[in-house]
């Protein structure tokens, strides 16, 4: 016996990837419902070798469904996730709406699987921001060995992090550079994204940081350790899929770069590719469609007492969203619901 699973936002970037990953990992599904807005009513989406017809979230009855993987924005989540949860269907949510609620667990299964049992308070589990998820997979095993004091991270985030509209904007603007008659002014992004980089993701906060940067700080603390200090600069770059991060880590204890590489090699969800030669590192186009978070360029930072630098790359639609949500569903099945 398997699960009755709902994918909410099934026509979007993350929702489509959720359907792919549920099929790829052979998640024990008895029945699957694909939901989106009324705009997409009847749109067909693929689930393995099956084709599903999209239903309207607004009129869907969640009674009798085991779990719902939500990948819609915060507004639709706010309207519908509590209804699903109240109907007894466990919500695994990709939006930022519930991540900072102390009564809702925020989970990266490689880091804090024990938090799963907290789901029962509200019948909701939160999935972290894409840039946080890949970073904490690397930080957690290093923290367990040498206790992290402070992290300084700069991100290079792909346009798919802004949904399908973000991908269309990069595509159209890139074409327009060669054909100025089809000019495409910025809409999803604040400035031209083609052949450019933009140091601004999400809204500005009072202290001058952006919400995306604040999310990396708050979520790292909730998932790994409240004592870790994080400072982030988040930048949008003209890459379709795959987020990259340059991470500087200061530890309480000394950690040799070779030992750090060995620890990361042994850690779940991580692939170390780190040869000190041209091309001996991973770039975002190479991580697309992969489950792993890739670590390269591990090296001592000799400007501080116990410091390391590393380069971290992952498919933001996978580890940053859909894969992590499916891993949470697997954890929920294994530890709590115990079907399948
Ligand atoms: N992309 C990432 O890397 C990433 C990472 C982590 C978290 N997230 C989060 O995941 C969520 C989805 O992101 P995405 O990138 O997949 O966005 P997307 O490509 O723009 O897709 C949005 C999906 O939500 C549906 N939707 C929007 N409003 C709706 C409503 N009122 N009722 C029902 N369905 C509605 C859309 O359906 P229609 O096609 O019918 O409009 C579509 O299926 C967002 O909360 C985002 O912040 C994304």
């Amino acid at each position: 016996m398997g699960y009755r699973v709902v994918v909410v936002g099934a026509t979007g970037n993350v929702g489509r990837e959720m359907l792919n990953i549920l099929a790829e990992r052979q998640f024990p599904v008895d029945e699957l419902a694909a939901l989106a807005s009324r705009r997409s009513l009847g749109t067909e989406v693929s689930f393995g070798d099956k084709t599903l017809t999209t239903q309207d979230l607004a009129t869907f009855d969640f009674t009798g469904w085991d779990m719902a993987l939500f990948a819609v924005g915060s507004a639709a989540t706010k309207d519908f996730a509590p209804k699903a949860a109240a109907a007894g269907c466990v919500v695994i949510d990709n939006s930022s709406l519930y991540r900072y609620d102390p009564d809702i667990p925020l989970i990266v299964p490689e880091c804090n699987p024990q938090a799963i049992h907290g789901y029962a308070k509200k019948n909701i589990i939160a999935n972290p921001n894409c840039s946080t998820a890949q970073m904490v997979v690397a930080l957690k095993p290093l923290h367990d060995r040498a206790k992290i004091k402070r992290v300084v991270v700069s991100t290079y985030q792909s346009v798919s992090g802004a949904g399908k509209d973000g991908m269309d904007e990069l595509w159209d603007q890139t074409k327009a550079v060669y054909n100025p008659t089809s000019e495409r002014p910025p809409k999803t992004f604040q400035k031209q994204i083609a052949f450019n980089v933009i140091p601004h993701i999400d809204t500005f906060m009072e202290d001058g940081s952006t919400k995306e940067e604040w999310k990396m700080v708050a979520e790292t603390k909730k998932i790994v350790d409240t004592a870790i200090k994080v400072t982030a600069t988040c930048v949008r770059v003209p890459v379709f899929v795959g987020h990259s991060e340059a991470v500087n880590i200061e530890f309480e204890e000394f950690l040799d770069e070779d030992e750090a590489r060995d620890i990361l090699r042994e850690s779940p969800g991580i692939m170390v590719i780190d040869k000190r030669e041209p091309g001996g590192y991973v770039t975002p186009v190479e991580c697309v469609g992969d489950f792993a978070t890739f670590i390269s360029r591990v090296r001592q930072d000799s400007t501080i007492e116990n410091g390391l630098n590393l380069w971290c790359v992952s498919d933001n639609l996978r580890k940053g969203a859909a894969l992590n949500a499916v891993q949470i569903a697997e954890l929920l099945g294994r530890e709590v619901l115990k079907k399948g």
Side-chain angles (χ1 to χ4, degrees):
M1 194 167 70
Y3 298 95
R4 298 186 76 217
V5 179
V6 188
V7 171
V8 185
T11 52
N13 274 344
V14 176
R16 283 180 194 270
E17 214 47 21
M18 281 173 171
L19 292 166
N20 291 338
I21 293 170
L22 286 166
E24 278 171 40
R25 291 171 76 95
Q26 299 183 323
F27 188 82
V29 172
D30 266 3
E31 192 178 351
L32 201 144
L35 312 186
S37 76
R38 194 160 299 151
R39 289 181 294 275
S40 314
L41 191 65
T43 301
E44 293 190 335
V45 291
S46 301
F47 171 53
D49 53 11
K50 297 190 184 71
T51 300
L52 303 173
T53 304
T54 312
Q55 304 175 55
D56 181 8
L57 168 64
T59 55
F60 188 78
D61 181 1
F62 286 88
T63 311
W65 293 83
D66 295 300
M67 48 179 98
L69 279 58
F70 269 67
V72 291
S74 294
T77 304
K78 195 172 180 184
D79 287 342
F80 296 102
K83 287 185 185 157
C89 174
V90 184
V91 170
I92 299 170
D93 178 37
N94 269 277
S95 80
S96 58
L97 187 65
Y98 297 115
R99 289 179 193 155
Y100 319 108
D101 181 332
D103 289 336
I104 292 182
L106 175 67
I107 299 181
V108 172
E110 292 88 343
C111 300
N112 61 340
Q114 71 289 350
I116 192 76
H117 298 286
Y119 88 99
K121 283 191 184 155
K122 293 200 173 164
N123 235 13
I124 299 175
I125 301 163
N127 202 55
N129 187 41
C130 38
S131 45
T132 310
Q134 67 184 68
M135 182 174 77
V136 295
V137 169
L139 293 185
K140 176 72 167 89
L142 300 178
H143 183 60
D144 288 346
R145 160 64 182 81
K147 209 149 200 283
I148 295 173
K149 281 164 65 176
R150 178 170 184 255
V151 174
V152 183
V153 55
S154 300
T155 70
Y156 307 74
Q157 295 181 223
S158 69
V159 293
S160 57
K164 49 193 179 186
D165 293 345
M167 297 181 83
D168 290 345
E169 192 156 312
L170 174 58
W171 178 246
D172 293 343
Q173 277 182 2
T174 304
K175 285 188 296 182
V177 168
Y178 299 102
N179 179 12
T181 54
S182 60
E183 198 189 331
R184 166 81 128 99
K187 196 168 156 213
T188 300
F189 302 112
Q190 302 77 14
K191 299 206 178 205
Q192 176 184 315
I193 185 63
F195 304 97
N196 201 9
V197 298
I198 305 173
H200 173 194
I201 301 179
D202 210 330
T203 52
F204 273 98
M205 314 275 292
E206 239 173 50
D207 68 355
S209 62
T210 63
K211 189 82 188 284
E212 187 80 356
E213 291 156 357
W214 178 84
K215 286 175 194 167
M216 292 193 79
V217 177
E219 294 176 21
T220 302
K221 285 177 179 289
K222 187 166 175 180
I223 296 165
V224 185
D225 190 335
T226 50
I228 297 177
K229 292 179 184 166
V230 180
T231 180
T233 302
C234 293
V235 180
R236 189 74 71 192
V237 298
V239 168
F240 282 105
V241 178
H243 287 358
S244 309
E245 299 173 342
V247 190
N248 175 264
I249 311 167
E250 185 179 356
F251 296 93
E252 275 190 7
E253 293 166 35
F254 178 75
L255 179 60
D256 176 73
E257 60 190 25
D258 291 330
E259 188 185 350
R261 231 176 268 115
D262 287 344
I263 290 170
L264 292 167
R265 266 194 202 100
E266 296 298 313
S267 300
I270 293 180
M271 185 84 89
V272 177
I273 304 220
D274 193 9
K275 292 192 188 134
R276 292 177 173 178
E277 61 189 37
Y281 41 79
V282 171
T283 60
V285 290
E286 296 156 282
C287 77
V288 176
D290 221 301
F291 286 147
T293 292
F294 292 90
I295 303 296
S296 309
R297 306 283 327 276
V298 179
R299 62 207 191 276
Q300 229 76 49
D301 171 9
S302 58
T303 65
I304 49 175
E305 205 176 345
N306 299 318
L308 272 184
N309 286 307
L310 55 83
W311 174 248
C312 171
V313 177
S314 197
D315 181 330
N316 54 294
L317 299 178
R318 291 203 155 210
K319 187 58 199 168
L323 169 62
N324 199 69
V326 173
Q327 285 178 296
I328 293 173
E330 290 169 347
L331 182 66
L332 181 73
R334 210 165 48 240
E335 297 292 324
V336 181
L337 304 180
K338 300 187 175 168
K339 283 187 187 176

